[in-house]
Amino acid sequence: AEAAAAAGVEVRPALLAYRERFYRTDAMTLVLISSKPLEATEQLATRIFGAPTTDSTGGGATATPADVDPAAFAAAARLVQSAAEMAEAEGPPHPWAGCGAGELVASQLPFELRVVPIKERRTCRLAFPLPSRLSQHRDSRAPVLDYVTHLLAHEGEGSLYACLQAEGLATAVSAGAEGLRDFAIAQVRIDLTPLGEERVEVVLCRVFEYLAMLAEEGAGAAAREAWAELAMERALRWRFAERGDAAAEARSWAARMHVYSPQLALSGGRLLGGFPAEGVVACLEAMRPGGVLISRESKAFQAVSPPEEDDEADSVCVVPLPPSLPPGSQRLTEPYYGVQYERRPIASPLREKLQAARRGERMPAAGGAPAPPLHLPAPNPFFATELEMKEEGEPQPALQAGEASDAVHWHATEVAFGRPKAHVVLHLACPAEAVSDVTHMNLWMAVLDEHLATALYPAALAGLSWSVSRHTSGAVLRVSGFSHKLPRLLLTLADQLLRWDGAAYAPRFEPRREKHVRELQGHFKQTSDRLALYYLHLLLEPTRLPKEAQLEAARAATLDSLAAFHARFVRRLKLLVFTYGNLAAADAAAIAAELESRVSAAREATLPRSDWADSPVTQVRAGAWRLTMRPLSAEEKNSGCLLYYQLGQLDVRPERAQLLVLLRLLQQPLFAELRTKQQLGYVVRSDEMRHGSGRSCVSGVYVLILSKDFAPPQLQRSIDDYLRTVPEAVIGALTADEFQTARGALVTRFREPDRTLAEAFSRRWTAIEEETYDWARRAKLADALEAVTLEQAQALAARLTSAPRLAVHVFGNNHLAAFGENDGSGSVAIDSWEAWRAAQDVWGDVGAILRSGL
């Protein structure tokens, strides 16, 4: 707005003129997904969008909007048209256009960017400008860059990632490509360990050593086999893709139509043809050190300034000055975020090392040891070859995994979706002392994930996925994908969960521990709205550890302490298994029995249900409470204001249905008033917030604002003023039709059948996990929604502001002058969140009460 005013242009007329000039049917793609016949859908598109236009100037003269000054609109239209003509004029070619010989033009010699990130981060990126003909959309059935970046990002044995991981230099490797008008770019990103940052030249050389290996393989037999497996992976994914959300699919297809021809809008780049031998050779020939752009991010690049003068004569402080830059370098600052960075030529010694690596000369590992091997992927043993569907069965009640077993096994054969896939969950409940050790639990899972990433990466390529996550009562292993090879992967993962492999974990522990420390340190750079949510969770979850305590524990953790944690974890276990999908009942029972056998061999004793850890929720006392916090970083200028009203354990009772209807009615008006009209902040949102699970879940409502212009007390007053008007001005102003439309949309959502196998699995697993065993929960909530009246929603809106309330105010550095200001709400200040939380009661376990029959 300020720039427009300085140029003598009114903002609204300019926006309207811009829309008229560029938002044209001949410049857009349109995707309509409908259950109506094609002819009816086409008529709908024509009625809404009109006949297609082909006038590249935007359709000629446009009528001036009624509420806009004609002269201002005409001036804005001329300005927009002038800008459009300048943009469309033929300009000089991009310096990288026509590149691809492995060397950029003399004025664009390879260079390096050194960036100081805002958050803790250590990354290294390599970008290779390439000929535009190598872009994926140029040949959708044989995308050269897709193949090359697929190999660069591979995590299996012999990959770049496996090599760097074995040397302790990296924690992640990814690669991708982008096709522009005049050229394409292939990129490789590496997340470095502290050792990797120290030995970054080795990391860079490994990239070019891998490229040298790929170039040597060229279009040979091994390269063609790798292409064939990639084609098989894409074909299986395409043939058995799960049905997606209509809105998300429409957005994806509309974007793809800008890249691919209409005939290939769906399958382009997803179904592969013959191996593009010539293109692969040309691409690898172009990826040489003379044409690379290196970008590194690290706090180590931060310039250190000399200290301000101190009046005390006896104080001595020696701080190194920023090093001088080599010739041809620049030290710059990005204007929007203030990020510091340097642009410098790649030093000749490093260029020589990279060129030697590109010739295939291997740099020794630390201590002169041979470098880890680099080779193309071996044949993938996880590809499914048996894709037939099993006979459908009825959902089974709790099936015992064996007469002498205490494991619980739930199973249902589901083939209605026509996918030869299955989902299996292995839930290991463990003692509360292990569950509460969040730091070691997270570290163990991270080390385990990295240990298995290389060996089991082929399983991911073959359509199998897995995850290990922390649960309120232990750990949960989830495995899904093609049912043929799923049991093999499941048992491998179960073995790794149950046994301690110190030799394998030793080289991976320290890099993962250090990365976890950096992730926790990133908490102190969070924006104020995220911090407000964090503090609210601390107040409401009595067992949650603050980030400071987690950070301290992570810094003190050792491999020995992690081994001791694992011993505590497996000492007492209870097994729950859920198998679902394209698995026959007998096969599922055999899987559960094998899992129970392995768990029994690993543990010392079973864990009774009464000893499981739980997740209590703070019961907010009547009245209003307020926690006021200062910012955690000097960079955070914005303030966050969060209001939370606790409504209790609503389950699927009418009160929960009334709450969902109220939130649906309130969402758009609240945003329009507080964000659009009052312009209180960047972020304005409200929704239900739930803590706990199942019938014991506690519901509440929150309103959250992130603002650069207003301090939390002012935001608090604005929210309070608005919420007092909601019962009459918002809910009371609705017509019967408007209310029925909003309520009907919710009913439709909860009555919508499962669209995919994953959705059907998730609904059933939630009922098992939360111990409700209520398979019709959504239908019951839909029935309750249909019974909600406008008067009930209005009455709930009136009662909402009298519910027990928590407010969290996080002040940005711009608003510290208002710290301590009275917000006028009459709330009681919380001096210490720890003391306040400890003094509160917790909600009872409604699920346990109901199960006992009381």
Side-chain angles (χ1 to χ4, degrees), residues 177-342:
E178 184 177 2
L180 305 175
R181 184 180 65 179
D182 297 325
F183 58 94
I185 296 180
Q187 298 188 66
V188 182
R189 167 180 163 147
I190 303 164
D191 292 353
L192 301 170
T193 64
L195 180 61
E197 184 173 43
E198 180 183 325
R199 305 189 66 208
V200 69
E201 289 192 359
V202 177
V203 173
L204 294 170
C205 284
R206 296 290 183 246
V207 176
F208 283 98
E209 289 169 7
Y210 191 80
L211 287 171
M213 181 275 296
L214 292 181
E216 184 177 354
E217 294 288 352
R224 293 176 185 274
E225 289 176 8
W227 173 268
E229 284 205 348
L230 179 62
M232 183 186 300
E233 171 206 338
R234 300 290 175 83
L236 285 172
R237 188 190 306 172
W238 171 263
R239 180 182 172 188
F240 297 108
E242 297 275 13
R243 179 182 173 189
D245 173 73
E249 290 292 331
R251 287 192 296 269
S252 172
W253 297 349
R256 289 175 61 82
M257 288 170 66
H258 281 289
V259 177
Y260 298 102
S261 64
Q263 296 83 358
L264 298 174
L266 301 185
S267 65
R270 294 171 171 171
L271 291 177
L272 305 184
F275 180 62
E278 182 180 345
V280 168
V281 171
C283 178
L284 294 171
E285 178 61 29
M287 298 176 74
R288 292 185 172 274
V292 68
L293 313 176
I294 299 173
S295 175
R296 294 171 56 197
E297 290 180 292
S298 173
K299 287 287 190 181
F301 297 140
Q302 193 148 15
V304 182
S305 301
E308 297 181 2
E309 291 189 14
D310 198 316
D311 293 335
E312 298 183 20
D314 60 348
S315 82
V316 178
C317 183
V318 180
V319 178
L321 291 171
S324 58
L325 294 176
S329 303
Q330 296 172 285
R331 183 171 287 132
L332 305 164
T333 301
E334 188 274 332
Y336 191 80
Y337 291 102
V339 173
Q340 304 171 44
Y341 68 100
E342 293 176 358

Side-chain angles (χ1 to χ4, degrees), residues 19-313:
R19 180 184 183 281
E20 292 296 331
R21 172 63 181 79
F22 292 107
Y23 283 70
R24 313 185 314 267
T25 56
D26 66 314
M28 78 177 188
T29 58
L30 172 65
V31 174
L32 289 179
I33 300 177
S34 172
S35 59
K36 298 181 184 235
L38 183 59
E39 184 177 346
T41 304
E42 204 167 6
Q43 291 173 355
L44 177 65
T46 303
R47 186 169 76 250
I48 295 175
F49 296 98
T53 60
T54 57
D55 186 352
S56 64
T57 65
T62 304
T64 303
D67 59 344
V68 176
D69 177 63
F73 184 77
R78 288 193 296 271
L79 180 65
V80 170
Q81 179 62 27
S82 175
E85 291 173 354
M86 291 176 61
E88 293 171 356
E90 188 70 28
H94 192 281
W96 297 344
C99 62
E103 299 287 338
L104 298 180
V105 295
S107 61
Q108 293 291 319
L109 288 172
F111 62 86
E112 176 185 1
L113 293 179
R114 297 187 175 184
V115 182
V116 180
I118 294 176
K119 293 186 177 182
E120 289 289 336
R121 185 181 296 167
R122 268 192 310 271
T123 65
C124 178
R125 288 183 174 88
L126 294 87
F128 297 89
L130 299 166
S132 61
R133 60 187 171 82
L134 296 178
S135 298
Q136 176 170 311
H137 65 277
R138 302 289 183 182
D139 191 343
S140 59
R141 290 288 184 257
V144 172
L145 279 183
D146 205 15
Y147 165 74
V148 173
T149 55
H150 160 75
L151 293 176
L152 283 167
H154 205 282
E155 296 180 9
E157 299 291 344
S159 65
L160 173 63
Y161 169 76
C163 174
L164 294 174
Q165 186 197 56
E167 295 183 274
L169 303 178
T171 57
V173 175
S174 59
E178 184 177 2
L180 305 175
R181 184 180 65 179
D182 297 325
F183 58 94
I185 296 180
Q187 298 188 66
V188 182
R189 167 180 163 147
I190 303 164
D191 292 353
L192 301 170
T193 64
L195 180 61
E197 184 173 43
E198 180 183 325
R199 305 189 66 208
V200 69
E201 289 192 359
V202 177
V203 173
L204 294 170
C205 284
R206 296 290 183 246
V207 176
F208 283 98
E209 289 169 7
Y210 191 80
L211 287 171
M213 181 275 296
L214 292 181
E216 184 177 354
E217 294 288 352
R224 293 176 185 274
E225 289 176 8
W227 173 268
E229 284 205 348
L230 179 62
M232 183 186 300
E233 171 206 338
R234 300 290 175 83
L236 285 172
R237 188 190 306 172
W238 171 263
R239 180 182 172 188
F240 297 108
E242 297 275 13
R243 179 182 173 189
D245 173 73
E249 290 292 331
R251 287 192 296 269
S252 172
W253 297 349
R256 289 175 61 82
M257 288 170 66
H258 281 289
V259 177
Y260 298 102
S261 64
Q263 296 83 358
L264 298 174
L266 301 185
S267 65
R270 294 171 171 171
L271 291 177
L272 305 184
F275 180 62
E278 182 180 345
V280 168
V281 171
C283 178
L284 294 171
E285 178 61 29
M287 298 176 74
R288 292 185 172 274
V292 68
L293 313 176
I294 299 173
S295 175
R296 294 171 56 197
E297 290 180 292
S298 173
K299 287 287 190 181
F301 297 140
Q302 193 148 15
V304 182
S305 301
E308 297 181 2
E309 291 189 14
D310 198 316
D311 293 335
E312 298 183 20

